[in-house]
Structure formats: C-alpha cells, structure tokens
Amino acid sequence: MKHIDEEKINRLIQLPQCSRSEFDAIIEKSKNLQRLTTEESAKLLAVKDKELIDIIYSTAKYVKDTIYGKRVVLFVPLYINNICVNECQYCSFCKNNKVTIRKKLTIDEIKEQTRILLERGHKRILMLSSESANEDDDIEYFVKAIEAIYSVSVGKNKVKRINVNLAPLSVENFKKLKKAGIGTYQIFQETYHEETYRKLHGKGPKSDPDNRLDAIDRAFKAGIDDIGIGPLYGLYDYKFETLAMFEHIAYLEKEFGLGPHVVSVPRLEPAYGSEISQSKKYAFTDDEFKQMVAVIRLSVPYTGIIISTRETAEMRNELLNLGVSQISAESRVSPGGYERLDDHNAVKDVQFKLNDQRSIEEVIADLVAYGYMPSFCAACYRRERTGKVFMSIAKPGNIKSKCDINALVTFKEYLEDFAAPEVKKHGYKLIEEKLAQMPETDKNVVLKFFEDIDKGIRDEYV
C-alpha cells in the first residue's frame, strides 16, 4: 500500500517501554504543542507503567484544552443511501448481505430527515452514502442532497455546515463536491494493512486500497483542504493501524503541507449479516483504547478527534478528558432512521450496532455536568479558516479564543430555541462560569452576540 512501510511499522510495534528520561522528553515536546514522530508515538503506545499512562492522559487533556478550549463540537450523521456495490465483509451494507433492508432516500425524504434534525436542535450534519457502480451518478445525487439539506429551515434555524463521508471521487467530481459547499471530506481507509484490506474487500470499486488512499490526494488537488481520516479499529492490530495512520499523516504533511482536520477512531461493532463484525481476533481493551486516543492527541495536537456513538456513553464521557474534541449525538445509522425513536439496534437497515442512543438533550446535559461547553460552531468554514490558514492558527494554540466565543454563542442559541427548563438552567450557569473566565475583550464580543440572540437574531459568529 502506498506511503505505508509495513516493515518499519512492525519494527516500531516491537519497541520496549522507553526510559523515563526519554519519556519525559517526549511529554515535554507534546506540552509545547509539537508534532511527534511516528517512533515517538510508538514509544508512548508501548508504555505500560500506570504512573506514566496517567501522565499521558493529563498531557492529552492539557494539549486539547490549550488548543481548542474546554468545548466539544456536536454533529449528527445523516445516511442517505445504503444500496452498495462493494463487498466489505464487516459491513451490513455489503452487496451480498441479504439481511439488510435497502433504501435510497429521495430528495424530499432528505429534506424531511433534515427538518426532523433541525427541530431537535442539530445544526451540523455529516452526510454519508454507500457507493454505486457509476461515480458520475453518485456525485449528481450527492450535490442535489447537499442542496436539499441547506435549503431546509425550521423557524430561525438552518443547517450551518455539511461534512461528508463518501467514497473516492475523481478530481473533477471532488471540485463539484467543494462547489456544493461541504466542510470536511472524510474517508476511512478501514485498514492500512494491505493483506487484510484485500481479504476483507472483495469485488467493487473499494477493492483497490491505493485508490482509496489516494482519494485524499485528489481531494486536496481539487481544493478541498479540510479532510478527515482514520482506520476502523478491530480489523487488524490497533497499534499497527495507529502508527500507519501517523505515517499517512506524515506523507500528507510532506506532500501538501497539510494534515487532517479531524481523525476518527471507530471500533468494529456487530453488523447484521456479517460474521467478521462479530470477530474478537483484533479486539483490544478499553484501557488500551483510551491510551491510544490520548497518544493520537499528543502525536497530532492540531487535529480534532471524533468519537462516535459506537462507544458507550460512559466511555465517551471518559474520553472527553483524553483529547476528544468532537462527538456525534442521537445517531441513526440507516437511511430514514430519524423517523423512528425506538431501539435503533432492532432495525435491520442499520450499518452497525450503536452503544450510545442518548438524545441530543441527554448528551448536552452530560457535557454540561462535566463542565464542557457544547458547540455547534461552523464559523471556520464560513470565514475561510480552513486548510493551511486554520493550521497556522490552530498549531500554536491561537484558535482557542474563537472556539470559546463561537461555542458560547451557538450554545445560547440552542438553550433559547430547544432546551428543556432543567437543561436551560444548568446551561446558563455554565455560560456564566465561562464568561467569568474569559478575557474582557472576548467577553464583550460574546455579550453583544447574546443581545442579538435575545432580539431573535441567529447564526452570528467570529
């Protein structure tokens, strides 16, 4: 597989725990918000001493809070199609899976799903779709879907930004996607281990691992400068996947001067009709998972880390202190899933089992209880603070001020328009605490926006 030196990665996996002096030097480098090398990251993954792991944890929290502040961005996935031509053995959307109920949403159905989400307070959408045999048909459908989502309004509220998780495209079709107004283009390599990749992906466009890896290159060449990557943990050894991802990032930084805006860390969950998804061969413990997430935060300090509803509510709450900066809420992983508020795992059109089915209000209540500011911010996309511009602000920790302001403004909008009385009460208490900690200039900006919100104005940002 291009850019992935498996021999090097396997050698790094075998590294013993480093000396205390070497460990301290790596931690100090992280506290200075500097990127770690793949070898330095491997040494942190190898740490087994509990005292040192606790230092990794506390440093990950420090790095995340220093760069992004104590805020967590919320988004919701919107699946528009699960009719797929690929044969991914771990996915219920696999072409050969006869159990899954298939559905491709019409444009009117996409608008209705968007309306449901807006009514519940969602403002940031991650649009996902399966892949057909004709890329040109796909891009036409994607662009119309994006236009449909942006066209919907509920009272004063509209979707602020659509990020997408879609199959690889040509440069020309990526340009169409950018013109449609997307934020981040996200694609998972699934596994960076070539033998495993080819074994798990039979027929279909997805069977070529290098085409999938090169999708990020083509997106950059098309002018999409906010991208998201990640493996699906559980298909192969988690240390190999993590270090291979770091090597992929290093290649992107060298080739394009730019790494990923976000990294996702999904773990394999059971899927209807898939025996592979039930396998525990490459499972790893929750403690190993937490250490891995913290090491990702230290290795790539500027990137956002996303945790999905594959994880339990308890695990997701724990990971807030280990560097996570974005979470999904109230997810439904099937086309049309937001029309049902029942147990989503009981429906046979879902992509995988969910472990956190809390409502958006319950997620927000927990965030507030832990002292984290919920954010629906999409300001950077609209202010063209993306790509290298964003990185120039984020890497030295200068994006935090804007993150804090926009989080407070978007959270007040949520409290005014959607929150139940109890959530509203605790939410405003948290806002008062955050305002008291802000520099006077930033506080004055926020208070001016608050006045406008009270007048009925929405969607202001810096």
Side-chain angles (χ1 to χ4, degrees):
M1 196 180 296
K2 290 182 178 179
H3 327 311
I4 308 301
D5 184 342
E6 294 192 6
E7 185 177 328
K8 173 185 175 180
I9 294 168
N10 287 327
R11 186 174 67 252
L12 292 177
I13 290 173
Q14 302 304 318
L15 287 175
Q17 181 169 310
C18 58
S19 67
R20 181 58 191 261
S21 61
E22 191 173 9
F23 173 84
D24 289 342
I26 296 172
I27 292 296
E28 188 62 28
K29 185 177 179 180
S30 292
K31 287 181 177 178
N32 290 324
L33 310 183
Q34 296 178 48
R35 271 276 277 125
L36 300 184
T37 65
T38 304
E39 183 172 354
E40 289 168 333
S41 303
K43 289 175 180 177
L44 293 185
L45 285 175
V47 170
K48 291 181 170 53
D49 183 276
K50 185 180 182 306
E51 179 188 351
L52 301 188
I53 291 173
D54 286 342
I55 292 173
I56 292 173
Y57 287 175
S58 61
T59 308
K61 183 179 187 305
Y62 168 81
V63 170
K64 186 269 175 182
D65 289 352
T66 299
I67 292 180
Y68 289 114
K70 199 171 181 181
R71 67 94 175 99
V72 177
V73 173
L74 293 164
F75 71 93
V76 65
L78 175 56
Y79 283 68
I80 61 174
N81 183 15
N82 68 358
I83 304 171
C84 195
V85 297
N86 291 310
E87 298 179 7
C88 310
Q89 295 181 30
Y90 49 85
C91 178
S92 69
F93 295 172
C94 174
K95 178 184 177 182
N96 296 334
N97 189 346
K98 305 304 181 185
V99 179
T100 297
I101 301 169
R102 306 292 174 164
K103 175 76 172 177
K104 180 178 181 179
L105 297 185
T106 66
I107 295 303
D108 284 343
E109 288 171 330
I110 291 170
K111 288 180 179 179
E112 177 60 16
Q113 289 288 291
T114 304
R115 182 192 63 77
I116 292 169
L117 292 173
L118 281 169
E119 286 180 342
R120 298 184 67 77
H122 294 283
K123 298 288 186 67
R124 292 171 52 102
I125 283 178
L126 173 65
M127 188 183 85
L128 303 97
S129 177
S130 55
E131 187 173 10
S132 79
N134 190 319
E135 182 186 312
D136 290 334
D137 287 346
D138 280 346
I139 190 62
E140 182 179 353
Y141 177 55
F142 299 157
V143 169
K144 287 180 180 178
I146 291 165
E147 291 171 349
I149 294 168
Y150 278 134
S151 74
V152 179
S153 60
V154 173
K156 309 180 186 91
N157 298 292
K158 300 188 76 170
V159 170
K160 292 175 179 286
R161 186 57 57 176
I162 304 167
N163 298 331
V164 297
N165 186 323
L166 302 171
L169 299 169
S170 66
V171 172
E172 287 307 309
N173 283 334
F174 271 126
K175 288 179 179 178
K176 294 176 184 177
L177 202 59
K178 177 179 172 61
K179 187 177 179 181
I182 67 161
T184 301
Y185 171 71
Q186 184 184 96
I187 185 170
F188 296 161
Q189 188 64 24
E190 313 296 13
T191 174
Y192 284 99
H193 187 253
E194 184 164 359
E195 181 183 351
T196 301
Y197 187 100
R198 293 186 183 279
K199 176 181 163 185
L200 294 178
H201 302 89
K203 298 176 182 177
K206 199 172 174 180
S207 61
D208 181 354
D210 286 328
N211 179 58
R212 194 163 183 86
L213 198 66
D214 285 345
I216 297 296
D217 297 49
R218 296 196 294 275
F220 276 143
K221 291 173 183 176
I224 297 174
D225 56 6
D226 263 41
I227 57 99
I229 64 173
L232 175 55
Y233 286 99
L235 299 181
Y236 192 63
D237 177 79
Y238 80 96
K239 288 186 178 181
F240 180 96
E241 302 288 17
T242 304
L243 298 178
M245 180 176 67
F246 293 155
E247 288 289 277
H248 187 193
I249 293 171
Y251 159 77
L252 295 173
E253 290 173 333
K254 180 180 179 181
E255 189 72 14
F256 300 100
L258 193 59
H261 184 76
V262 290
V263 165
S264 296
V265 289
R267 285 198 283 185
L268 185 66
E269 286 295 327
Y272 285 113
S274 166
E275 291 184 14
I276 291 288
S277 70
Q278 317 285 336
S279 172
K280 301 297 183 184
K281 182 177 181 180
Y282 293 111
F284 53 113
T285 68
D286 285 349
D287 285 339
E288 289 171 325
F289 181 60
K290 289 186 287 187
Q291 183 174 347
M292 181 199 76
V293 170
V295 170
I296 292 173
R297 169 53 64 208
L298 300 186
S299 182
V300 199
Y302 60 77
T303 195
I305 299 179
I306 297 175
I307 294 293
S308 76
T309 50
R310 291 172 182 263
E311 298 299 329
T312 64
E314 294 74 20
M315 175 59 76
R316 300 212 306 161
N317 287 338
E318 278 192 70
L319 292 171
L320 295 176
N321 283 323
L322 301 180
V324 166
S325 57
Q326 295 191 26
I327 61 172
S328 51
E330 205 169 50
S331 302
R332 294 292 182 267
V333 291
S334 63
Y338 294 104
E339 293 171 358
R340 304 184 297 263
L341 295 177
D342 53 6
D343 180 4
H344 195 55
N345 292 328
V347 186
K348 287 188 172 61
D349 58 359
V350 301
Q351 189 180 25
F352 51 83
K353 177 179 176 255
L354 300 176
N355 286 307
D356 183 357
Q357 297 195 60
R358 290 175 296 171
S359 69
I360 183 173
E361 188 160 270
E362 290 170 325
V363 171
I364 285 174
D366 279 352
L367 287 175
V368 170
Y370 282 94
Y372 282 92
M373 179 63 61
S375 174
F376 297 88
C377 174
C380 284
Y381 300 115
R382 290 135 144 214
R383 294 293 188 193
E384 298 186 350
R385 291 192 296 264
T386 60
K388 291 180 181 178
V389 174
F390 174 82
M391 294 301 173
S392 70
I393 306 170
K395 286 182 178 181
N398 296 331
I399 197 69
K400 179 177 178 292
S401 172
K402 290 179 173 58
C403 289
D404 287 344
I405 292 172
N406 290 318
L408 284 163
V409 172
T410 58
F411 186 43
K412 179 175 168 64
E413 288 179 349
Y414 175 85
L415 294 177
E416 287 298 308
D417 295 342
F418 304 104
E422 193 68 13
V423 173
K424 195 170 184 177
K425 180 180 78 172
H426 292 295
Y428 271 114
K429 181 181 177 184
L430 179 62
I431 285 176
E432 289 301 317
E433 292 172 0
K434 297 296 183 184
L435 283 172
Q437 299 166 7
M438 294 184 84
E440 199 66 25
T441 52
D442 290 354
K443 180 178 178 180
N444 289 336
V445 172
V446 172
L447 292 177
K448 174 60 173 65
F449 282 150
F450 280 8
E451 289 176 7
D452 289 346
I453 292 172
D454 291 337
K455 294 174 184 175
I457 298 170
R458 293 294 180 273
D459 207 17
E460 293 186 316
Y461 48 89
V462 295

